Amino acid sequence: MIQTTPRVFIFDLDGTLLDTLGDLAASVNYALAANGMPQHSIDDVRRFVGNGVRLLMERAVPGGASHPLFESAFAAFRSHYMEHSLDTTRPYDGIPEMLSALRRRGCRTAVVSNKFYAATQELCRHFFADTIEVAIGEHEAEGIRKKPAPDTVNEALRLLGVGREHAVYVGDSEVDVATAAASGMPCISVLWGFRDRAFLEQHGATTFVSKPEELLRPQQPHPQPLSQGEGSR
């Protein structure tokens, strides 16, 4: 059991708070078509996401980064996505209400994502301006490693000005399970995102919620224990 009621919630973004799959797939396929490459189904793109947009495109482009047109396709994806990231993207049902309830209770909230920084900031400002306090995207150029390294979580805790002893990580993928473990906090895996329960269990997930309102319960069953006395770095 969680040893203390969570007061800090660190959320993944894609597949956890927002259904971004349609816009991601559209931008992937636009970039591929613009460079004469075969396109992918939305289920293909679902499997490709989770490790940042560069790896997303490495998985989508035939031959990956070794393809002579990879950088062209990657640039086309970034440009298209920044213009079209709000075309069909929306919060999952119950997410805005859940976040509002957490904030009314005085809980602290942050997003950490492997999506590039500008898109993470834009989406959180658009959908969650009143409920997400800190939003951090990929910015390895500044020396902050992307997930599953703990760096973005540590940075979110630092910006919130809180420790991790009452914190919980919420995500939808195997990357999120690994990020929570690396960050020394329990992980709650959501079942409405980009991975199914069997896949998540194979990658070490132990605690699940099927509806956002379940995150409002005082305790969740069977998460890994919190690292006690461990502060933010």
Side-chain angles (χ1 to χ4, degrees):
M1 299 293 292
I2 290 181
Q3 296 177 356
T4 54
T5 300
R7 303 296 295 170
V8 179
F9 287 76
I10 308 295
F11 292 97
D12 171 56
L13 186 60
D14 295 48
T16 300
L17 299 182
L18 293 179
D19 182 358
T20 57
L21 189 58
D23 289 336
L24 286 169
S27 291
V28 166
N29 283 329
Y30 168 85
L32 295 173
N35 287 274
M37 300 172 186
Q39 299 185 34
H40 288 283
S41 70
I42 198 164
D43 283 335
D44 287 340
V45 177
R46 183 193 305 273
R47 291 192 296 270
F48 296 160
V49 299
N51 295 94
V53 292
R54 188 172 185 89
L55 274 176
L56 165 62
M57 289 305 295
E58 286 183 10
R59 292 162 178 162
V61 170
S66 64
H67 194 290
L69 293 179
F70 173 79
E71 294 298 338
S72 174
F74 183 48
F77 168 84
R78 289 178 64 99
S79 176
H80 188 273
Y81 188 70
M82 286 304 299
E83 293 182 9
H84 296 276
S85 63
L86 295 172
D87 285 2
T88 63
T89 287
R90 62 172 183 83
Y92 289 100
D93 291 344
I95 290 293
E97 295 82 1
M98 177 271 294
L99 292 174
S100 294
L102 289 178
R103 297 296 291 137
R104 287 195 300 270
R105 294 179 181 185
C107 295
R108 310 300 301 277
T109 57
V111 159
V112 295
S113 176
N114 280 343
K115 184 189 296 292
F116 41 91
Y117 201 94
T120 301
Q121 293 271 308
E122 179 184 2
L123 288 168
C124 286
R125 279 195 303 266
H126 183 81
F127 290 109
F128 310 123
D130 297 327
T131 51
I132 293 295
E133 299 175 77
V134 169
I136 298 174
E138 186 277 318
H139 54 308
E140 289 191 303
E142 287 76 28
I144 296 178
R145 295 171 296 170
K146 66 183 180 182
K147 302 184 295 183
D151 299 28
T152 53
V153 173
N154 293 337
E155 180 69 0
L157 294 173
R158 184 188 72 80
L159 292 173
L160 288 172
V162 300
R164 72 191 68 226
E165 58 270 16
H166 300 289
V168 66
Y169 186 100
V170 184
D172 73 304
S173 76
E174 71 280 11
V175 175
D176 297 312
V177 175
T179 301
S183 302
M185 60 179 62
C187 183
I188 299 174
S189 297
V190 308
L191 295 177
W192 55 80
F194 297 167
R195 305 287 190 266
D196 63 27
R197 181 171 184 142
F199 181 92
L200 290 167
E201 286 178 337
Q202 290 170 8
H203 289 83
T206 59
T207 302
F208 302 90
V209 292
S210 58
K211 297 178 181 179
E213 56 263 36
E214 294 176 31
L215 292 168
L216 301 174
R217 295 175 181 172
Q219 295 187 349
Q220 301 293 333
H222 311 308
Q224 299 300 313
L226 289 163
S227 298
Q228 295 297 313
E230 192 174 7
S232 62
R233 290 179 285 175

